[in-house]
Amino acid sequence: MNAETIAIVGAGQAGGWAAQTLRSEGFAGRVVLIGDEPHRPYERPPLSKAVLSGDAHADTTHLLKPEAFDALRIDWRPNVGATFIDRAAKQLHLTRGAHVSYDKLILCSGGRARRLNIPGADLPGVFTLRSIGDAAALGAALSAGKRLLVVGGGWIGLEVAATARKKGLDVTVVEAMGRLCERTVPPEISGYLLQLHAAHGVDVRLGTGIGRLAQNARGGLTASFTDGRALECDAVLAGVGLVPNDELAREAGLACDGGILVDSQCRSSDPDILAAGDVATWHCEWAGRRMRLESWQNAQEQGIAAARAALGIAVNHQPLPWFWSDQYEINLQIFGMPTPAHDVVVRGDRNSSSFVMFFLDAGKVVAALGPNAARDLRFARRLIERRTSVDAAQLADLRVPLAKL
Ligand SMILES: Cc1cc2nc3c(=O)[nH]c(=O)nc-3n(C[C@H](O)[C@H](O)[C@H](O)COP(=O)(O)OP(=O)(O)OC[C@H]3O[C@@H](n4cnc5c(N)ncnc54)[C@H](O)[C@@H]3O)c2cc1C
């Protein structure tokens, strides 16, 4: 591969992995890593967990220690935004009038937290959570005895609710849909999460939207809901999803549809431009449809795959989707993409703190999930990846070790 300069937009998890992979694959040319944050590449999962609770410092999220990062000889441009891609000239324009010429360009610009679209959404005390800066701002507002309103019963909202309870806040979660994490888990798991939060004293209100926020006389906020009720609180966390940062690609005329369209070699509609992580959408064979995977695993693996593909190495990015969430004493993991069409087999007691739900299609396990079941889920992953035919009765039988299947 003759590329001399490979530019990466976004110094997040995917961008960080792309940069270090270029070096580990022996690329000796120039790697320019453009990031509009002040931080070296870092992982976001702890921002709603240990960093938010104060148990871990934000520096612990960095992919590499400063010396290891410096040793990669990366031309890292912190606090710099990429503003325009001139595809004809193969130049990337940056804030403050600078530009970088590239041979290959990897877009790892992730996404931003969607903001509430209601009156009062920009008031002080209303937060979103995506970056280290966001976690610092929200964390400073989470002191014991205060009341937090979480808008959105998805993963980020629920993790923040759990962390806030741990810190001694009163917490209310409102979710406009009829159940928690509706887009990603079956109803049984939504019910499990509901019970989990209720058991920890969170007031969860389903089927309730938020209509407006206003400052109140106490210096706090009053939230008015679509069901006519109101709530006084000290802080609001909007956990209402992610907007992919694909404007750069769209303005450059790359094919986009709710994210930058790439193939399983991470190539966009311009063969010299690749994309990876939360901003990329591609046909996931495990899901049987095109999608963006907003997960730690995908950011890392697709970042690696994009870097290798930029170097001309054959890749086929089709990881079995894996996601986890930590809430209270529960570590919930999901492998594959469960759908209502699958047959369900439960191993263990679904009302306990540890069990596995298997999802079968024509006698083969295609997805599995469960709380505090990391060991069983490791075996489940193998069953899925090897497309093993299984006996449902054996799968449910705790006396039959999964390793035997
Ligand atoms: C609070 C939180 C908790 C999470 N918890 C989990 C979890 O428990 N499990 C799990 O699997 N996943 C979790 N995730 C998801 C996971 O962190 C993301 O999928 C992952 O960070 C995506 O990586 P990325 O590199 O694609 O994007 P990002 O990490 O968002 O990086 C993109 C970077 O690009 C920068 N950028 C954007 N546009 C430009 C531009 N024009 N110029 C320069 N820079 C730009 C952004 O500022 C950002 O720094 C969590 C995410 C969050 C926010």
Side-chain angles (χ1 to χ4, degrees):
M1 142 87 199
N2 300 321
E4 295 190 342
T5 299
I6 300 182
I8 303 169
V9 175
Q13 193 188 345
W17 273 102
Q20 52 179 312
T21 303
L22 291 172
R23 291 295 184 232
S24 62
E25 291 290 351
F27 177 65
R30 187 167 165 235
V31 178
V32 188
L33 179 62
I34 294 132
D36 59 8
E37 292 191 69
H39 313 285
R40 292 189 308 277
Y42 65 94
E43 298 183 346
R44 293 171 203 269
L47 301 184
S48 47
K49 311 172 184 81
V51 169
L52 190 63
S53 68
D55 293 338
H57 191 275
D59 286 357
T60 59
T61 62
H62 289 169
L63 292 187
L64 292 170
K65 295 233 169 0
E67 321 78 67
F69 184 71
D70 292 347
L72 296 174
R73 294 172 294 101
I74 288 173
D75 179 357
W76 170 46
R77 314 273 182 96
N79 293 313
V80 172
T83 53
F84 178 69
I85 306 169
D86 181 343
R87 287 169 56 197
K90 293 182 80 168
Q91 277 189 346
L92 181 65
H93 291 245
L94 310 176
T95 44
R96 298 197 286 270
H99 70 262
V100 173
S101 296
Y102 65 83
D103 297 290
K104 296 279 178 189
L105 174 63
I106 308 177
L107 300 176
C108 301
S109 45
R112 55 189 180 275
R114 179 171 288 123
R115 306 194 75 84
L116 292 172
N117 186 18
I118 53 162
D122 294 325
L123 286 170
V126 183
F127 300 89
T128 54
L129 179 55
R130 181 71 191 172
S131 64
I132 286 180
D134 294 341
L138 175 62
L142 298 186
S143 35
K146 301 242 177 201
R147 175 173 288 279
L148 173 72
L149 169 64
V150 174
V151 182
W155 298 113
I156 295 210
L158 294 183
E159 288 191 352
V160 171
T163 302
R165 282 300 294 145
K166 191 173 156 188
K167 291 186 81 173
L169 283 88
D170 284 335
V171 180
T172 301
V173 174
V174 289
E175 165 55 55
M177 311 294 274
R179 59 185 180 86
L180 298 174
C181 297
E182 179 160 336
R183 278 192 309 128
T184 41
V185 293
E188 295 87 341
I189 298 301
S190 298
Y192 184 84
L193 291 169
L194 181 64
Q195 274 181 18
L196 179 69
H197 282 271
H200 284 84
V202 177
D203 172 12
V204 182
R205 304 183 188 176
L206 299 172
T208 307
I210 182 160
R212 61 181 299 123
L213 287 165
Q215 222 138 26
N216 63 26
R218 283 191 312 115
L221 293 157
T222 301
S224 307
F225 301 118
T226 47
D227 64 5
R229 290 196 283 176
L231 180 90
E232 308 272 308
C233 59
D234 301 289
V236 175
L237 183 265
V240 290
L242 175 119
V243 181
N245 291 326
D246 63 357
E247 291 82 358
L248 205 56
R250 275 194 274 136
E251 283 159 19
L254 298 180
C256 292
D257 185 6
I260 305 170
L261 290 179
V262 294
D263 59 17
S264 56
Q265 296 177 59
C266 312
R267 292 176 306 199
S268 74
S269 53
D270 178 333
D272 291 322
I273 304 181
L274 303 97
D278 282 9
V279 76
T281 176
W282 85 108
H283 184 86
C284 170
E285 284 172 6
W286 295 100
R289 63 184 162 92
R290 212 173 62 205
M291 60 183 300
R292 286 187 308 104
L293 262 184
E294 293 169 21
S295 74
W296 177 95
Q297 171 218 24
N298 185 61
Q300 174 167 326
E301 294 187 17
Q302 205 170 22
I304 293 172
R308 302 186 81 215
L311 296 175
I313 301 168
V315 297
N316 180 23
H317 179 69
Q318 285 296 350
L320 174 66
W322 170 52
F323 179 83
W324 86 92
S325 176
D326 294 324
Q327 298 169 37
Y328 311 107
E329 65 288 358
I330 295 295
N331 166 260
L332 182 81
Q333 298 193 34
I334 308 173
F335 288 93
M337 310 291 291
T339 76
H342 296 143
D343 299 321
V344 176
V345 174
V346 180
R347 183 177 173 92
D349 177 0
R350 223 172 49 193
N351 295 312
S352 72
S353 60
S354 175
F355 62 88
V356 180
M357 278 177 87
F358 293 95
F359 299 84
L360 278 69
D361 184 15
K364 293 180 179 166
V365 182
V366 291
L369 61 75
N372 297 341
R375 191 180 138 78
D376 274 359
L377 286 167
R378 268 201 300 281
F379 289 114
R381 174 187 203 149
R382 280 189 223 161
L383 294 175
I384 302 169
E385 287 179 335
R386 292 177 190 173
R387 295 172 167 82
T388 317
S389 289
V390 289
D391 180 272
Q394 286 196 321
L395 211 49
D397 188 344
L398 289 170
R399 292 163 306 181
V400 180
L402 287 183
K404 277 205 161 174
L405 301 178

